[in-house]
Amino acid sequence: MARRLVRPRQRDELKNIPYEVFIGLLSVLSIVNIVLWWVFYNDPQIQTVLTTMTALFTVVFLVDFLYRFFTAPARAHYFWRDFGWADLLSAVPATQLNILRVFRLRRVVHLFHRTGARHILLTVVRDRANSALLLLLLAGVLVMQFGSLVVLYAEAADPTANITTASDALWYTLVTISTVGYGDQYPVTAAGRIVGTLIIIVGVGIFGTFTGFLANFFLTPRQRAHAAAAEAETTEPAAVGTETDRAAQLQALLAQTEASAAELRRLLEEERGGSGSAGSE
């Protein structure tokens, strides 16, 4: 009989939907930064902010490539057929190669075409913990970049300002969004303080959500273990009762069998006694 060859099913290279949307939006932002980098080519302060954010994106996209490569069902297929080579080159810290991040957008477009926007929205709502964390991380990246640019622009016109360079703006945004607030850099203009307030709100939201995410991550296995133990305790008495009932039934059956055997032996003895008496006569 001919053996039918069954082709193994390939696991989809796409990861979970919130993660793919997060990487796609981050890719859009990185491409926007390429355009801003060339538009403000003569402004060294803006160039410094954009270069710093590009370095951050490079680390994120490199980790994303390694994650996809080592979890791909067929690594060669991912690298050559699913544009893994573009993911790797786009993680190189070179502005000319960053344009290859458009291939990451291809996955998001493919995801929308295959699953539909309604299904994606329902999945994001259903997976609230991961979606909220990734959304706030994206908000943190946006605030880190545009907050630094806006604060730098707002404070540059005030002669009493102490945020005068891109390094000052990035440091102020970082310590504010992390809710540390050293106080060595602070805005003195109304526009700068409004931006600072927004940065504080986003920072509190990010770290509050991250704390809740970690608590849910560590407590969920423990809750499942408690639920399994409670279920085992509930079913164990029933199992013990079932075994006890079976033992009682077996003992009763054994007693009935022994009584029947004793009755048969008595009848045989009576039959033999009767036969012996008839023979002697």
Side-chain angles (χ1 to χ4, degrees):
M1 182 183 293
R3 299 177 63 184
R4 186 176 63 179
L5 297 178
V6 179
R7 180 176 298 177
R9 188 179 65 176
Q10 292 286 334
R11 187 180 65 180
D12 199 345
E13 193 275 330
L14 289 171
K15 308 305 176 187
N16 65 78
I17 290 178
Y19 177 78
E20 291 292 349
V21 173
F22 171 75
I23 292 296
L25 293 176
L26 211 61
S27 301
V28 172
L29 180 59
S30 65
I31 294 172
V32 170
N33 285 352
I34 296 175
V35 177
L36 293 177
W37 197 86
W38 289 106
V39 169
F40 297 98
Y41 186 79
N42 295 324
D43 193 328
Q45 302 299 332
I46 295 180
Q47 289 281 303
T48 301
V49 174
L50 295 177
T51 302
T52 303
M53 299 306 300
T54 300
L56 175 62
F57 295 156
T58 297
V59 174
V60 174
F61 289 139
L62 180 60
V63 173
D64 174 70
F65 166 76
L66 295 175
Y67 169 57
R68 294 181 187 276
F69 181 78
F70 286 108
T71 58
R75 295 176 182 176
H77 183 274
Y78 159 67
F79 191 84
W80 299 110
R81 299 287 299 276
D82 287 336
F83 302 99
W85 57 270
D87 293 344
L88 178 60
L89 292 177
S90 66
V92 175
T95 306
Q96 293 78 6
L97 296 177
N98 290 346
I99 194 63
L100 293 175
R101 292 171 184 173
V102 295
F103 287 99
R104 297 178 183 272
L105 296 179
R106 169 184 169 274
R107 292 192 186 91
V108 179
V109 173
H110 175 65
L111 182 67
F112 271 88
H113 278 293
R114 193 183 67 177
T115 60
R118 185 172 182 272
H119 177 71
I120 291 176
L121 180 61
L122 291 176
T123 304
V124 170
V125 173
R126 190 180 303 114
D127 192 6
R128 291 185 294 272
N130 292 330
S131 301
L133 179 64
L134 293 174
L135 177 62
L136 284 175
L137 286 177
L138 179 64
V141 171
L142 292 173
V143 170
M144 184 70 187
Q145 174 175 318
F146 293 103
S148 300
L149 292 174
V150 173
V151 166
L152 181 63
Y153 177 79
E155 297 293 301
D158 195 309
T160 63
N162 58 75
I163 301 177
T164 57
T165 64
S167 177
D168 294 336
L170 287 168
W171 173 252
Y172 165 74
T173 306
L174 178 62
V175 298
T176 304
I177 204 172
S178 62
T179 67
V180 175
Y182 284 110
D184 52 347
Q185 305 291 339
Y186 53 89
V188 296
T189 63
R193 289 172 178 173
I194 292 174
V195 175
T197 303
L198 296 176
I199 294 174
I200 292 173
I201 294 173
V202 173
V204 171
I206 289 175
F207 282 91
T209 304
F210 185 68
T211 303
F213 179 83
L214 289 180
N216 180 70
F217 178 79
F218 286 110
L219 290 178
T220 299
R222 184 179 301 177
Q223 292 173 352
R224 290 178 180 175
H226 289 326
E231 183 178 358
E233 291 177 357
T234 303
T235 56
E236 184 177 359
V240 172
T242 303
E243 294 295 333
T244 304
D245 294 340
R246 289 180 181 176
Q249 291 175 1
L250 290 174
Q251 290 177 357
L253 182 60
L254 180 60
Q256 184 179 0
T257 304
E258 291 177 350
S260 300
E263 181 66 20
L264 287 174
R265 285 195 297 268
R266 186 183 64 80
L267 292 174
L268 286 174
E269 290 175 357
E270 290 180 355
E271 183 67 23
R272 288 175 183 175
S275 298
S277 299
S280 61
E281 292 177 357

